[in-house]
Amino acid sequence: MATRIELAHDIRCSPDVYWRQFFDDVLGGELFTRDLGFTLYRVLERSERPGEIERRVEIAPRLSMPASVRAVLGDRFRYIEHGVFDGSRYRFELL
């Protein structure tokens, strides 16, 4: 069963600037690891075709978990974000 979550944020820059920064691998790595404290941000794959960018990123957030949750998820929880940008919308799934 898939869950749909929709988020809206007011971001004060042009769409071109936003997407250029969103797909900047160096900036993304710094944001997640240095600024947000994640333990891992690694681009696994990235491909660009006319009108489309696809990428897979491995991400490991730093989590404070109760022992019972840690027993289920393990000490090294991480996920893969697989997303496709069609020029106006980024759709992704977490694996």
Side-chain angles (χ1 to χ4, degrees):
M1 172 189 254
T3 300
R4 181 183 168 101
I5 299 172
E6 188 170 322
L7 302 171
H9 298 278
D10 184 19
I11 300 172
R12 298 181 189 276
C13 67
S14 72
D16 289 338
V17 169
Y18 175 80
W19 290 116
R20 186 172 49 252
Q21 291 179 350
F22 183 85
F23 286 106
D24 183 316
D25 297 339
V26 173
L27 181 61
E30 289 175 356
L31 172 69
F32 277 84
T33 57
R34 185 192 67 208
D35 299 335
L36 298 174
F38 284 44
T39 60
L40 175 69
Y41 179 89
R42 177 174 49 206
V43 176
L44 301 174
E45 296 178 44
R46 178 182 171 140
S47 62
E48 296 187 34
R49 295 175 287 289
E52 183 177 277
I53 300 172
E54 181 175 3
R55 75 173 180 184
R56 294 169 59 91
V57 182
E58 184 177 14
I59 302 169
R62 186 177 315 271
L63 299 174
S64 298
M65 298 181 285
S68 58
V69 175
R70 195 170 36 255
V72 173
L73 296 179
D75 288 330
R76 295 187 174 157
F77 174 73
R78 58 185 62 196
Y79 60 91
I80 305 291
E81 177 184 301
H82 174 230
V84 177
F85 177 63
D86 67 7
S88 64
R89 182 175 292 179
Y90 182 66
R91 297 174 191 258
F92 68 94
E93 63 182 339
L94 304 179
L95 310 171

